Amino acid sequence: MSTPFVPSPSAWLRGSRRPSWLSDPKVLRTEVLGGLVVALALIPEAISFSIIAGVDPAVGLFASFTMAVTIAVVGGRPAMISAATGAVALVIAPLNREHGFGYLVAAVILAGVFQIVLGAIGVAKLMRFVPRSVMVGFVNSLAILIFMAQVPEMTDVPWPVYPMIAAGLALMVFFPKLTTVVPAPLVSIVILTVITVAAGIAVPTVGDKGDLPSSLPVPGLPDVPFTLDTLTTVAPYAFAMALVGLMESLMTAKLVDDITDTRSSKTRESLGQGVANIVTGFFGGMGGCAMIGQTMINVRVSGARTRLSTFLAGAFLMVLCIVFGPVVSDIPMAALVAVMVMVSVATFDWHSIAPRTLRRMPLGETVVMLVTVACVVATHNLAIGVVVGSVAAMVVFARRVAHLAEVTAVTDPDGGTVVYRVTGELFFASSNDLVGRFSYATDPGRVVIDLSAAHIWDASSVAALDAIETKYAQRGTTVEIVGLNEPSARIHKTLSGELTGGH
């Protein structure tokens, strides 16, 4: 598969290869409308996350603006949306509560620095160790969290909210059958808003979430003393934010790669997230990372594929807040809830829980997927779920591979030598049982251990072989190890006799 063309900032202005949205009106329309739908969906989310972090709603909206606009230029995954997120808000909320807003801003800037460092040392390469079962669990738990986030908007509300949500869902299901020129979510939002305002229906609106900003953010330094004490105070929160932000962003980038059947630079995305958070911090924002729900709206629902939609999502966000604030405030929350419910349904991997799939899938794979989902739903933290799921997958893999090491014995006709043929992968899990597979008391005076069909991976395997030789030596039996491939011979020569103090 060829790497997709990713336009550099200069290419947007004068590059030899024009971005697709410049040469194709259909692509341009898709990107513009996708950015508009995402901007509308960002407003209540950003305000809600501001409340979680304990800051003014404008702080979350500013963060969403600067994150989206910056990552559109420096990020590694086109069409992915980065903005203020709940995961980041949860991490930095205690810092804001205990030390004040200035320390929160300082932590955001330092988190960006940490992300640049982590990106430079290759932390993105760790994504290759995330198994498919964990990825499926990540996607399914994401869909569940998106739906759960809508539940408060559907409880203790006026009864018209429910038919409005149902109408919004119906519009998004059936409108694409008529035309796909305009994104169905945008049509749903506009129609429900017009009906609500025209009929004077009293339902919760975007304006009920908080006041929208009336001017652009202004850059400045965080209001904190630049001392070592400040650094030690904000560093733990900044590092936690950097890890959570990178984990969610890289997992989201991988998900978008799969959806669009394209590849993206995870290292560039890591560096881009850091740059975006530094910029956001200097503009007084609360920081953020990839927004999975809004990314799904942009990529899966709207069909956007380029950086333009990401840039416009941030730009439209500020335009909607500053220029069209009164109009945006009248959008019923029911319309946005319907959009997010549709996103959650489209995001969930229904094939993964189909009875036919469950019957064919190895039990360990299903368990790993369920563990990932359970951890994410319980903690509301996608990063924790991915880490726990990956560890569970490693345990399942180790248990499975541990049983692949076999030992068979053949005695020479003269009875003076027995040859043990070992097959399989020898590492800490499989080598633990290796010592007990030999008949020390009854074997003849010479034993040959043939490892031509095996591979030594770690010190545990060398220690097990040393223990076998020691047990035979105590009975006066000579042991010869043969058939080692080059890597196995190298590790055996280096460690043999050094792990147990000799034979």
Side-chain angles (χ1 to χ4, degrees):
M1 182 189 302
S2 60
T3 302
F5 169 65
V6 179
S8 65
S10 60
W12 282 28
L13 301 176
R14 55 172 175 75
S16 58
R17 296 188 63 179
R18 289 155 56 90
S20 58
W21 49 267
L22 276 179
S23 55
D24 189 339
K26 291 183 179 179
V27 173
L28 178 60
R29 183 182 62 238
T30 298
E31 301 299 311
V32 171
L33 294 177
L36 179 57
V37 174
V38 170
L40 290 170
L42 276 174
I43 294 173
E45 297 271 315
I47 295 174
S48 298
F49 297 147
S50 299
I51 295 171
I52 292 174
V55 298
D56 189 82
V59 173
L61 291 166
F62 287 157
S64 296
F65 163 61
T66 53
M67 286 292 297
V69 169
T70 305
I71 206 68
V73 178
V74 300
R77 175 61 259 179
M80 190 168 78
I81 305 297
S82 290
T85 58
V88 168
L90 288 171
V91 170
I92 60 177
L95 179 64
N96 180 62
R97 186 169 56 249
E98 297 170 14
H99 299 280
F101 181 67
Y103 282 82
L104 180 151
V105 173
V108 171
I109 296 172
L110 184 58
V113 174
F114 282 145
Q115 288 177 329
I116 291 176
V117 173
L118 291 170
I121 63 177
V123 70
K125 295 179 181 178
L126 296 176
M127 290 302 298
R128 72 183 66 179
F129 297 108
V130 178
R132 181 188 177 279
S133 53
V134 175
M135 191 66 190
V136 172
F138 169 82
V139 171
N140 289 345
S141 57
L142 155 65
I144 293 171
L145 287 185
I146 292 174
F147 181 82
M148 290 175 61
Q150 312 314 310
V151 172
E153 305 296 338
M154 295 186 283
T155 55
D156 298 325
V157 293
W159 69 265
V161 168
Y162 302 110
M164 290 181 68
I165 293 176
L169 291 172
L171 280 169
M172 284 182 283
V173 170
F174 295 108
F175 186 80
K177 299 181 184 300
L178 300 177
T179 178
T180 57
V181 172
V182 182
L186 181 58
V187 174
S188 175
I189 291 170
V190 171
I191 290 177
L192 291 180
T193 301
V194 170
I195 292 175
T196 302
V197 174
I201 303 174
V203 292
T205 64
V206 170
D208 296 332
K209 289 290 184 180
D211 296 330
L212 302 181
S214 58
S215 62
L216 290 171
V218 178
L221 294 174
D223 184 17
V224 295
F226 293 91
T227 63
L228 183 61
D229 286 341
T230 300
L231 179 62
T232 56
T233 299
V234 303
Y237 295 95
F239 190 65
M241 174 184 164
L243 290 178
V244 169
L246 278 185
M247 178 72 74
E248 293 208 21
S249 299
L250 294 176
M251 289 295 289
T252 305
K254 190 174 186 300
L255 177 60
V256 177
D257 288 353
D258 293 339
I259 292 173
T260 61
D261 196 26
T262 59
R263 290 184 295 175
S264 60
S265 172
K266 305 303 184 297
T267 298
R268 179 175 172 179
E269 183 61 37
S270 301
L271 299 174
Q273 289 290 328
V275 172
N277 272 304
I278 291 174
V279 172
T280 298
F282 281 120
F283 275 91
M286 57 181 277
C289 61
M291 280 201 87
I292 306 169
Q294 274 65 22
T295 297
M296 290 300 100
I297 293 176
N298 196 44
V299 175
R300 176 163 276 171
V301 179
S302 299
R305 292 293 183 269
T306 77
R307 297 173 184 273
L308 180 63
S309 59
T310 304
F311 180 87
L312 290 178
F316 281 147
L317 175 64
M318 281 294 98
V319 172
L320 289 170
C321 291
I322 296 173
V323 180
F324 300 102
V327 177
V328 173
S329 296
D330 288 335
I331 295 176
M333 284 301 300
L336 298 175
V337 168
V339 172
M340 298 309 294
V341 169
M342 181 62 72
V343 169
S344 70
V345 172
T347 301
F348 196 91
D349 187 351
W350 298 100
H351 176 73
S352 66
I353 61 171
R356 182 179 179 183
T357 303
L358 294 176
R359 285 195 300 269
R360 294 187 174 187
M361 189 68 65
L363 179 61
E365 300 282 327
T366 302
V367 169
V368 169
M369 186 263 286
L370 293 176
V371 166
T372 303
V373 171
C375 287
V376 172
V377 172
T379 63
H380 284 230
N381 191 317
L382 291 159
I384 291 177
V386 170
V387 171
V388 173
S390 297
V391 172
M394 293 177 189
V395 172
V396 170
F397 173 78
R399 286 178 57 86
R400 185 182 304 161
V401 177
H403 299 294
L404 298 181
E406 298 291 340
V407 179
T408 56
V410 178
T411 304
D412 281 356
D414 60 5
T417 303
V418 62
V419 178
Y420 284 93
R421 181 174 175 81
V422 181
T423 61
E425 308 299 320
L426 300 182
F427 65 112
F428 63 90
S430 60
S431 60
N432 285 336
D433 297 331
L434 193 63
V435 179
R437 309 287 286 275
F438 294 80
S439 304
Y440 305 98
T442 59
D443 280 343
R446 182 172 181 269
V447 171
V448 176
I449 302 178
D450 181 6
L451 297 176
S452 58
H455 186 97
I456 296 175
W457 286 102
D458 59 7
S460 297
S461 303
V462 177
L465 293 172
D466 283 353
I468 293 169
E469 292 185 80
T470 299
K471 287 180 176 293
Y472 275 120
Q474 291 171 349
R475 292 169 171 78
T477 302
T478 302
V479 176
E480 180 182 4
I481 296 177
V482 300
L484 289 170
N485 58 36
E486 184 176 344
S488 298
R490 186 161 51 247
I491 190 173
H492 185 264
K493 180 180 179 181
T494 302
L495 298 178
S496 182
E498 301 296 328
L499 303 172
T500 59
H503 301 325

